[in-house]
Every structure is written in structure tokens, then in C-alpha cells.
Amino acid sequence: MEKSSLSEHERRVPARLLRQDEAIGLRLRRFAVGRRHVLRGIGSGRSLGVLCLLSLSLMITGMATSQTLVTVAFAAVWAVTLLLAATWLFASSGRRSL
């Protein structure tokens, strides 16, 4: 029998790299599954529609009454609406590409 020309260390390095790749792959799969679970609650976009209507009504009320509290409420609801819209858009584009 012919003896291998690779040393023990040279044979262990590829095995160690494969184990690290598998560990990284597992972590990435867990991260992706966790994100899908969070985004599942967004679903049909019904909550996004409700927030858009609420933002619109607060904006109109704020312009009509010029009250600071209504303007601050509009700003808060609008920020949440934009965040949810961006999340919903990215989630729906991710589902189409897969």
C-alpha cells in the first residue's frame, strides 16, 4: 500500500473548514426561519391598510385643528406605518424571489 503524501494536519484542515461551514449555514437557516416567523404576522397587509387610514385621518384632523397632540400622534403613527410598509414590501419581494 502506498502511504498518503498529506500530513495529519493537512488532512484535518478541510474537515475543520467543512464543520465551520455547516455551523455557519445552520445559524443562517435559523436566522432566516426566525425572520419568516416574525414577518408571518404581517400577512395580508390588513394592518398596514388600517394604519394608512389612521395616519390619513390624523393628518387631516391635525391640519384642521392645528393641535400639537394630534400632530405628534400623526408623526408617531406615520413612522410605524412607514416601517411596517417597508417590512411588508421587503417580505413580499423575498417570497417572490424564492
Side-chain angles (χ1 to χ4, degrees), residues 13-24:
V13 169
R16 188 176 340 134
L17 289 175
L18 284 175
R19 281 194 305 272
Q20 288 174 351
D21 283 348
E22 290 172 4
I24 291 171

Side-chain angles (χ1 to χ4, degrees), residues 14-72:
R16 188 176 340 134
L17 289 175
L18 284 175
R19 281 194 305 272
Q20 288 174 351
D21 283 348
E22 290 172 4
I24 291 171
L26 179 63
R27 276 189 255 155
L28 288 175
R29 284 191 299 274
R30 284 182 184 163
F31 176 71
V33 168
R35 282 180 48 125
R36 273 190 232 120
H37 177 68
V38 168
L39 297 176
R40 196 178 319 151
I42 297 168
S44 66
R46 192 174 302 163
S47 57
L48 180 60
V50 169
L51 281 174
C52 284
L53 289 175
L54 180 62
S55 296
L56 182 65
S57 65
L58 282 171
M59 181 180 67
I60 293 171
T61 305
M63 289 180 357
T65 62
S66 298
Q67 290 184 351
T68 306
L69 185 61
V70 177
T71 306
V72 170

